[in-house]
Amino acid sequence: MQSDDPILEVRALSKSYGLTKSGPFRRGERRLQAVKDVSFSLAAGQTIGLVGESGCGKSSLARSILRLDEPTSGEIQYKGTDILALKSNEMRKLRRHIQVIFQDPYSSLDPRFTVRRILQEPWRVFPEIVPPAGREARVAELLRLVGLNPSDADRYPHQFSGGQRQRIGIARALALEPEVIICDEPVSALDVSVQAQVVNLLMDLQQEFGLAYLFIAHDLSVVHHISDRVMVMYLGEVVEEGATDQIFNAPRHPYTVALLSAVPVPVPRLRDREVIVLEGEVPNPIAPPSGCPFHPRCPQVQDLCKTTPPPQVRDGTSMARCHFAGKLDFVAHLKHLATAQTR
């Protein structure tokens, strides 16, 4: 059941990485801005989908929230606790409440451990969660929860399919009884039919335990199915955010429109659209363009876009980082552009 009270709050979070030049002509250190000024609130029972092209900063954002990489600036609060102010031992205790499901089910499980050992390993760090006498029963319960047989506990990861391995990864995340789970592209390495099974499993578990998900993906059809809200990232920034239906039915940023044009399912306002192929490459994050970061690829670019960073234009609970959000019909214009390009 979804709550209105935020369980995880992120405010103006940024992460940059230092890149030291090598060679005789090096001149100091360059910075790669992986995440820039990202803010959102996540409530119990809610799913926020995070989408964007590869390299846009989705995984860097996830790692910063978990403090696997230390953020450069910003705030992260879990139930009012300032995560960035915690010492390493305090952060380790808090991590039991914020777990992660990794993208690759083949590399995220230790091949030397049985499933029983994999699921019991978190309790070595947090022995108070499940007493030793109850661990066998809890392992069996976790396996049943994710659709596996308790007899699978004595098998090794290589004896399972990719979808089954990801179910083991989900069971491992549940072992610590978290309230927030960061799903870092958990179905992208799986076959399409298996993807649906895993996504439905995640939704069932959310319904049963009131879990909050930050669901990272590049497949918008999956995001549409599971998410309550959607954030669209481009070059480290959230360029659009809103309720799922609003994002899919009435996008306000041209990058979102271009992404939606490639979704291979009917979308009400884009049902008769052509696939929009953006010109050019994603700009270098080490030397981002001036003004709006999307302007080198935007078909409706204006002189203002080239010189002035766009504001956050809000409309109720939605936001678009564009000078012309809500002022120009991006959908109609991009349909016309796509038709012209195919002639």
Side-chain angles (χ1 to χ4, degrees):
M1 182 178 294
Q2 194 173 135
S3 168
D4 294 331
D5 298 326
I7 191 171
L8 181 69
E9 295 184 88
V10 174
R11 295 285 175 263
L13 190 68
S14 295
K15 174 60 183 177
S16 63
Y17 298 91
L19 303 173
T20 303
K21 293 183 178 180
S22 60
F25 302 106
R26 62 185 180 185
R27 296 180 179 178
E29 184 183 65
R30 298 175 296 172
R31 305 294 298 181
L32 188 155
Q33 188 77 49
V35 179
K36 183 178 180 182
D37 193 27
V38 173
S39 300
F40 67 90
S41 295
L42 182 62
Q46 183 185 38
T47 299
I48 293 181
L50 181 62
V51 301
E53 294 172 281
S54 295
C56 71
K58 303 187 298 294
S59 293
S60 292
L61 174 60
R63 293 181 62 86
S64 296
I65 293 171
L66 292 164
R67 284 186 65 186
L68 299 177
D69 291 336
E70 288 293 334
T72 305
S73 60
E75 298 179 17
I76 307 171
Q77 291 199 353
Y78 169 76
K79 287 187 169 181
T81 299
D82 184 0
I83 289 179
L84 299 184
L86 298 179
K87 298 179 180 178
S88 58
N89 62 327
E90 296 172 326
M91 186 63 205
R92 186 177 67 171
K93 293 178 182 178
L94 185 138
R95 280 202 182 103
R96 64 154 292 193
H97 301 291
I98 307 176
Q99 284 294 292
V100 60
I101 301 169
F102 296 99
Q103 176 180 357
D104 186 359
Y106 294 91
S107 62
S108 61
L109 302 177
D110 194 321
R112 302 167 299 174
F113 290 176
T114 64
V115 171
R116 175 180 285 101
R117 174 73 184 274
I118 288 170
L119 297 185
Q120 290 188 358
E121 195 71 11
W123 301 328
R124 295 177 179 233
V125 182
F126 299 96
E128 69 278 7
I129 294 177
V130 182
R135 290 179 184 177
E136 286 296 324
R138 182 57 176 159
V139 166
E141 182 183 358
L142 287 171
L143 290 173
R144 290 192 190 96
L145 278 174
V146 298
L148 296 176
N149 196 305
S151 63
D152 291 331
D154 293 317
R155 299 168 66 189
Y156 289 86
H158 73 271
Q159 296 175 293
F160 295 89
S161 67
Q164 290 172 324
R165 292 187 200 195
Q166 196 60 292
R167 289 172 185 266
I168 297 169
I170 294 170
R172 179 177 59 185
L174 293 175
L176 290 178
E177 301 175 0
E179 295 178 275
V180 178
I181 297 182
I182 296 177
C183 306
D184 190 2
E185 302 208 32
V187 297
S188 63
L190 307 177
D191 293 338
V192 174
S193 60
V194 179
Q195 287 184 10
Q197 296 171 16
V198 172
V199 169
N200 288 333
L201 170 63
L202 289 170
M203 295 176 70
D204 290 343
L205 293 170
Q206 181 178 57
Q207 184 69 25
E208 183 171 353
F209 299 110
L211 299 168
Y213 294 146
L214 176 62
F215 191 91
I216 301 171
H218 61 265
D219 186 335
L220 273 79
S221 59
V222 173
V223 169
H224 190 200
H225 182 63
I226 196 174
S227 301
D228 301 299
R229 295 183 63 80
V230 175
M231 298 191 300
V232 182
M233 285 191 78
Y234 184 81
L235 210 65
E237 293 184 344
V238 174
V239 296
E240 186 162 9
E241 178 192 2
T244 301
D245 288 342
Q246 186 274 322
I247 294 292
F248 278 78
N249 297 335
R252 300 168 65 219
H253 194 284
Y255 178 61
T256 308
V257 176
L259 288 180
L260 289 174
S261 77
V263 176
V265 293
V267 178
R269 202 176 169 194
L270 302 175
R271 187 171 293 137
D272 60 343
R273 88 285 190 252
E274 299 285 344
V275 174
I276 299 165
V277 180
L278 294 173
E279 297 293 329
E281 300 291 335
V282 178
N284 185 347
I286 301 175
S290 59
C292 174
F294 186 62
H295 89 254
R297 306 173 75 194
C298 182
Q300 284 192 282
V301 61
Q302 307 290 320
D303 289 341
L304 176 66
C305 308
K306 299 177 182 179
T307 58
T308 306
Q312 293 186 16
V313 180
R314 297 197 173 273
D315 180 12
T317 59
S318 67
M319 182 279 292
R321 199 183 293 265
C322 177
H323 290 291
F324 304 103
K327 298 179 182 178
L328 299 175
D329 190 346
F330 291 125
V331 177
H333 181 86
L334 290 174
K335 281 183 184 177
H336 173 76
L337 177 70
T339 302
Q341 289 176 340
T342 57
R343 288 175 181 169

